[in-house]
Amino acid sequence: MNRLDHIVHGFKATLVARAVYMLSSALLMFVLARYLLDPDGYGTLYWVIGVLAIVQLVADLGLGKSAARYFSEYSEKAPGQIPHLIRTTITFKIVIISLVAYLLLVFHERIAVALGEPAAIPFLAAGVIYITVFSFSTFTQIAFQGFNHLVYSAIVQAISGAARLVFAVGFVLMGLGALGAFFGYIVGYAISAVIGLGLLYYKFYVQYEPADTYEAGLSKRLLEYSVPLTATRSANVVDKQIDTVLVGIFLTPTAVAFYTLGKQISDFVLAPAESLGFTISPNFGEQKATGQLEQARQIYETSLSHTMLLYIPATAGLIIVAEPLITMVFGGDYAGAVPVLQILAVFIILQAITNLTSDSLDYLGRARSRAIAKGGTSAANFGLNLVLIPIMGVVGAAIATVATHTVYVAVNLYIVHSELSLRLRRLARTMGLICAITGVMALAVLLVTPLVSSPVMLIGAIALGAVTWAVLAVASGLVDPRAIRSAMT
């Protein structure tokens, strides 16, 4: 199987898994928000998950990504070191997670009271289990990415999403409320973690004949490379979660529900870009190691062009239909999420570029540069949230996210260009054509949106936009139907 076929195969597997994960997440979001939890319960659930995501930083550090980088490198040049690397990484993780879990168990009540949410005490107590199972579930997915065996990553992710849906809904229906939904998350991640670790052991650990000696300094390099990755991951989580936490501190659980709903819809739309970025990134490390930067540039430029062809029109359409989408699907109680979603629609474009770029920079050995950029913009995001949330509410949090992420994306693109020498004029022409297509599509949707009065009509408006986009994309030559049919077979 050549590299392009391998990428397509991995993208299909990852996209299917991400589709299962995101569809299960969307269904869980819909059922909990529409039928099972009130806005206060919904907001409390996801506020706690946001707090635990920050705690998770210390439990995970950058070990998973660092290990994946070395799995990718040493599976090619020294396979006998792989068992040593796996054993070292898991040992480090167990030690760190045990320490963090113990501290959380001891201080969970004080944390909840200090943050002004005493109702979150039982959630944070259960968070000891949550951070453990979530850590190993995500670690195995990243490890399989490093080995460039994305089907296994796909399996673990799909199982976590499906199991989480089943158990969260089941526990809520048993009368356990938002806490029951949280335990559903725990069970889902626990099942996927067990399966992921089993696959890692039987498909990789025992398949490589261990070298007689552990390469001198390798474990030290593993830890050293995790430092910039930890900084980047910390900044990334701050960007994604601290705004939710601050909304809960400054405002109310209902406001958290509005903000969370807007972010969850954005995450759902981003699934294809995240899948593509997860798929292509290991190839950059392999190509840099073999001096094939021309091929790496072609892969990145093609991926970026096709991603923007999808996401620029999708963002425009989402801004236009945000109000009927929120009120018809989730109910009038969530109308406060409409302006949040419209602002975060711009963030979708930025995050789509990030999803393609961030992991690729790690595999290109530019983790330190990305960490510096991410740290700076995350600090700015935190500061802007402190200023804007008390003044503008949840809209202020969304504006802060978009403003700071714009700077981060610009820096990422500059770093990629310095590594791969992107053909900027060619990319600029492509983006201009995409924007023209978007303008025509948006006009068509804008004309029919005032007539939308039912979910069926909403689907019709979205379908009109999709058809308009497809016709123009094919007519302009940006989409080749024959290539799509070939890739799908």
Side-chain angles (χ1 to χ4, degrees):
M1 183 182 295
N2 61 38
R3 188 174 299 277
L4 179 58
D5 289 339
H6 186 77
I7 291 174
V8 171
H9 178 70
F11 176 65
K12 288 181 191 177
T14 306
L15 186 58
V16 169
R18 199 61 53 97
V20 172
Y21 183 84
M22 295 307 297
L23 286 173
S24 62
S25 298
L27 185 57
L28 179 59
M29 173 178 64
F30 171 72
V31 172
L32 291 179
R34 181 82 182 191
Y35 299 110
L36 299 181
L37 299 177
D38 58 23
D40 276 0
Y42 191 82
T44 299
L45 169 64
Y46 289 104
W47 182 83
V48 169
I49 290 175
V51 171
L52 289 174
I54 297 172
V55 176
Q56 193 86 48
L57 288 173
V58 187
D60 287 345
L61 300 179
L63 280 172
K65 283 288 185 70
S66 181
R69 183 261 175 106
Y70 285 103
F71 292 158
S72 175
E73 180 180 339
Y74 277 79
S75 61
E76 295 289 332
K77 73 175 189 180
Q81 296 297 325
I82 295 297
H84 299 301
L85 279 168
I86 293 175
R87 189 165 56 248
T88 300
T89 305
I90 292 180
T91 301
F92 284 151
K93 286 185 67 67
I94 290 174
V95 171
I96 297 169
I97 290 171
S98 298
L99 177 61
V100 173
Y102 172 75
L103 292 175
L104 179 59
L105 186 61
V106 171
F107 294 106
H108 71 277
E109 292 186 13
R110 299 181 194 178
I111 294 172
V113 172
L115 294 177
E117 290 289 343
I121 289 175
F123 291 87
L124 293 179
V128 171
I129 308 172
Y130 176 91
I131 63 172
T132 302
V133 297
F134 181 82
S135 180
F136 280 104
S137 177
T138 53
F139 164 68
T140 56
Q141 294 178 51
I142 295 169
F144 297 141
Q145 181 194 31
F147 287 115
N148 217 348
H149 282 268
L150 299 173
V151 172
Y152 297 135
S153 290
I155 290 171
V156 174
Q157 185 179 45
I159 289 173
S160 70
R164 194 181 61 179
L165 168 65
V166 171
F167 286 98
V169 172
F171 290 153
V172 175
L173 291 176
M174 290 170 60
L176 299 178
L179 185 59
F182 184 63
F183 273 103
Y185 271 73
I186 291 173
V187 174
Y189 288 129
I191 293 172
S192 64
V194 170
I195 292 173
L197 289 171
L199 286 170
L200 185 64
Y201 178 79
Y202 287 107
K203 295 295 183 180
F204 297 96
Y205 183 79
V206 300
Q207 295 300 319
Y208 287 96
E209 183 68 28
D212 294 335
T213 58
Y214 196 179
E215 182 180 312
L218 182 53
S219 60
K220 181 181 178 181
R221 295 200 301 275
L222 175 71
L223 288 175
E224 287 176 345
Y225 196 67
S226 73
V227 173
L229 292 171
T230 299
T232 302
R233 176 174 166 77
S234 300
N236 190 46
V237 171
V238 167
D239 265 355
K240 290 187 174 181
Q241 301 294 347
I242 197 65
D243 45 5
T244 304
V245 174
L246 290 175
V247 167
I249 292 174
F250 286 118
L251 304 175
T252 65
T254 299
V256 175
F258 295 157
Y259 190 67
T260 299
L261 192 63
K263 291 188 75 173
Q264 287 174 327
I265 294 172
S266 301
D267 289 341
F268 179 78
V269 177
L270 281 164
E274 192 171 353
S275 300
L276 183 57
F278 193 82
T279 302
I280 67 173
S281 54
N283 295 279
F284 291 114
E286 296 172 7
Q287 289 164 350
K288 184 172 184 178
T290 57
Q292 297 177 317
L293 291 182
E294 175 67 28
Q295 188 175 10
R297 179 179 70 182
Q298 183 177 352
I299 291 173
Y300 183 82
E301 289 180 347
T302 302
S303 300
L304 180 63
S305 298
H306 284 81
T307 299
M308 291 299 96
L309 177 60
L310 174 64
Y311 279 101
I312 292 177
T315 294
L318 189 58
I319 292 172
I320 295 170
V321 303
E323 183 174 0
L325 176 67
I326 293 289
T327 55
M328 290 181 185
V329 175
F330 298 100
D333 289 343
Y334 287 90
V338 171
V340 175
L341 179 59
Q342 289 175 322
I343 295 171
L344 289 179
V346 179
F347 172 74
I348 290 173
I349 295 177
L350 300 172
Q351 187 61 36
I353 298 173
T354 300
N355 287 341
L356 281 179
T357 308
S358 295
D359 281 355
S360 303
L361 290 177
D362 292 342
Y363 282 95
L364 285 169
R366 297 298 299 269
R368 183 177 180 276
S369 300
R370 189 167 77 88
I372 293 171
K374 192 63 176 177
T377 54
S378 294
N381 184 37
F382 180 73
L384 276 178
N385 272 294
L386 290 177
V387 173
L388 296 180
I389 291 175
I391 298 173
M392 306 177 67
V394 291
V395 171
I399 291 173
T401 297
V402 171
T404 54
H405 208 73
T406 300
V407 177
Y408 176 62
V409 167
V411 174
N412 268 359
L413 288 174
Y414 173 79
I415 298 172
V416 170
H417 179 55
S418 69
E419 286 286 331
L420 302 180
S421 300
L422 302 178
R423 292 167 290 192
L424 298 181
R425 291 185 180 179
R426 181 176 179 179
L427 284 173
R429 287 195 298 269
T430 301
M431 297 306 147
L433 186 55
I434 291 171
C435 289
I437 292 172
T438 300
V440 177
M441 184 217 72
L443 179 61
V445 176
L446 195 60
L447 290 174
V448 301
T449 299
L451 306 175
V452 172
S453 59
S454 68
V456 173
M457 295 181 71
L458 176 61
I459 294 172
I462 295 172
L464 174 63
V467 170
T468 304
W469 167 85
V471 170
L472 293 174
V474 172
S476 66
L478 290 176
V479 171
D480 184 353
R482 293 171 297 180
I484 295 176
R485 285 195 297 269
S486 176
M488 296 303 293
T489 56

